[in-house]
Each structure stands twice: as structure tokens, then as C-alpha cells.
Amino acid sequence: MNVGTQVLEATVNALSKAMPDKAIAGWGRRRGHYIAGEDPRSGERYVQTTTDADGGAGAVAGFDGFEGAMGMSGLGSINRGSVEEIEIRFPWRTVKWHFVPDMSGAGKWRGGSGTLWEVQNLGGDVGAATGSSDGDLTQPPGALGGEDGPLSRMYIRDGDDVTPARTHRMVQIKSGEILGKVSGGGGGVGDPAEREPTKVLDDVINEFVTIEAARDVYRVAIVAGDPPTLDETATERLRGGSTA
């Protein structure tokens, strides 16, 4: 585990109970790695690392978590890498890199979204240390009734064959294979059923939340369409007569 993150989370959990008006949820877990190989373009050895797969920030009472912030220990001060620079410097191609719907802790204020990140090995077979992250087994905690951030997972994909990869391990990634990470986002703050329905609608439009999660988790009825629309009557029924 990342001990520094655990200390930070324990501290904000305690303070959130003492000062609920300033409650803070846990951030998405760190998703680092270290890849060592030889670049066939130059014949030189290289070590490549990045934290680009980290999920978003936890919510704070009154505010949703920041999208794309990386790691509670850095509090958003660490910048994500440049896709172009990585592809120029190393024999790896970015295949996918985007937010994932329903990969954040729900709440009156929701956590920042989780991330899907895939890169393909264009060089020779390499060894990789899968990095330090306890996010595959533990979740960043929510606060004041908000949901915890989702679990993360890592895998190696070769065509349709997908092999799970644990963190804190040494793995082999062959030429042409893809290293993928689905990283959970931050935890939520407050009861999801108290989130403003218009904010849930915005989340559905922006593809941070699915229509199904809007109904089942946030108790908000969204009608599919282009764009989706809010069904206020059905939402009031889902929430037991109140959309406050």
C-alpha cells in the first residue's frame, strides 16, 4: 500500500467527522508502473514510468471532486504526461485514455471520474513492475453517506485474450500486447439521493454517469435522447415525493 495515502485518508476521515461541513472523501488510488526494455529504433535501454492512469479527486462538502487530478499525496500538483512525448521517447503507443462512466464514488457531491488507460508495446518483449497501488483491493472512502470510490484493475491484453495483472508484481509484456488500467475515481460526499437532479442530468450528458446509475443510485429519472432530458415527475416518485 501507499502508506502516505493511508495516513492522509485516516486524517481527513477523522476531521470529516469532526467538521462535516468541510468533509473530504478519499482520492482515486495511485496507478504507477515501471517498464524496462530496449528501444528497437535506437538499440538503447530505457525505463518508462507514468502516473497517467490515476483516477480523479475525492469530493469535498459543497464541491464535486476535480476531474483528472492525480493522487491525494500530490493534491493535484502532479501533471499528467504528454502522449506525444511518450510516443516519441519510447516504443509505446497510447490506444485509449479517457474517463469512464460510473467510475466515481456517488454522492450529493460526487468524486472525480475514474480513467481507462491502455498502451501498446511496439518494441520487443519487456519486463514491467506493475507499480504501487492498493486500489485493486481497497477503495478510497466516501464521507457523510457518500459512496466509496470504485475498485481498480490492471490487465494485459493480446487480441481477445485478457490476463489480469496484480499490482506490486513483475510481469512480462510481449511485443504487440497492451497494458491496460481501469482506475477508480474519488469517493463521494453526502447521500447520492440528495444530489441536485439537474447536476445528475449534466453528468449523464457529459457521460460521467449512465442513465441506469442515475436512476438506481441517484434516484433521478433521465429520458434517453439527444440530448437526454430530466423527467421531474418520475424523479419525484423515485425520491419519495421530494427532489430537494
Side-chain angles (χ1 to χ4, degrees), residues 1-233:
M1 65 175 64
N2 289 308
V3 177
T5 297
Q6 299 294 330
V7 172
L8 279 170
E9 286 185 353
T11 302
V12 299
N13 284 350
L15 292 174
S16 295
K17 294 175 182 177
M19 304 174 67
D21 59 317
K22 298 182 179 180
I24 301 173
W27 291 35
R29 303 295 197 212
R30 186 176 183 278
R31 304 292 297 176
H33 65 253
Y34 300 91
I35 297 171
E38 182 177 296
D39 190 336
R41 299 170 300 181
S42 64
E44 295 181 352
R45 300 285 296 174
Y46 70 87
V47 175
Q48 189 266 354
T49 182
T50 178
T51 54
D52 291 345
D54 286 12
V60 178
F63 303 93
D64 293 341
F66 284 112
E67 309 296 349
M70 292 174 50
M72 195 173 202
S73 58
L75 295 177
S77 64
I78 302 173
N79 292 327
R80 293 178 186 268
S82 162
V83 171
E84 291 78 9
E85 180 182 2
I86 289 174
E87 292 184 343
I88 290 171
R89 294 180 60 191
F90 306 105
W92 288 82
R93 180 171 66 90
T94 300
V95 178
K96 295 181 180 179
W97 193 25
H98 57 75
F99 296 131
V100 182
D102 300 337
M103 279 297 286
S104 60
K108 184 175 182 179
W109 301 283
R110 67 166 178 80
S113 181
T115 301
L116 169 62
W117 180 85
E118 286 190 348
V119 290
Q120 184 177 27
N121 180 11
L122 300 182
D125 297 354
V126 299
T130 55
S132 57
S133 174
D134 48 354
D136 293 26
L137 302 175
T138 67
Q139 298 167 260
L144 302 183
E147 290 188 349
D148 297 344
L151 288 171
S152 305
R153 60 187 176 89
M154 185 184 305
Y155 54 89
I156 298 171
R157 180 159 62 85
D158 182 11
D160 294 330
D161 296 330
V162 178
T163 303
R166 290 280 302 276
T167 55
H168 302 279
R169 300 291 189 276
M170 291 297 299
V171 298
Q172 295 294 314
I173 306 173
K174 296 180 180 179
S175 179
E177 290 184 336
I178 287 173
L179 172 64
K181 302 181 184 183
V182 181
S183 301
V189 172
D191 185 351
E194 296 180 0
R195 185 168 176 79
E196 294 179 17
T198 54
K199 288 187 176 181
V200 178
L201 175 60
D202 287 342
D203 286 340
V204 171
I205 292 173
N206 293 321
E207 300 183 2
F208 289 121
V209 174
T210 61
I211 289 178
E212 294 74 21
R215 179 191 63 239
D216 298 339
V217 179
Y218 290 97
R219 318 305 291 173
V220 173
I222 304 295
V223 180
D226 188 17
T229 56
L230 173 65
D231 186 332
E232 295 184 358
T233 301

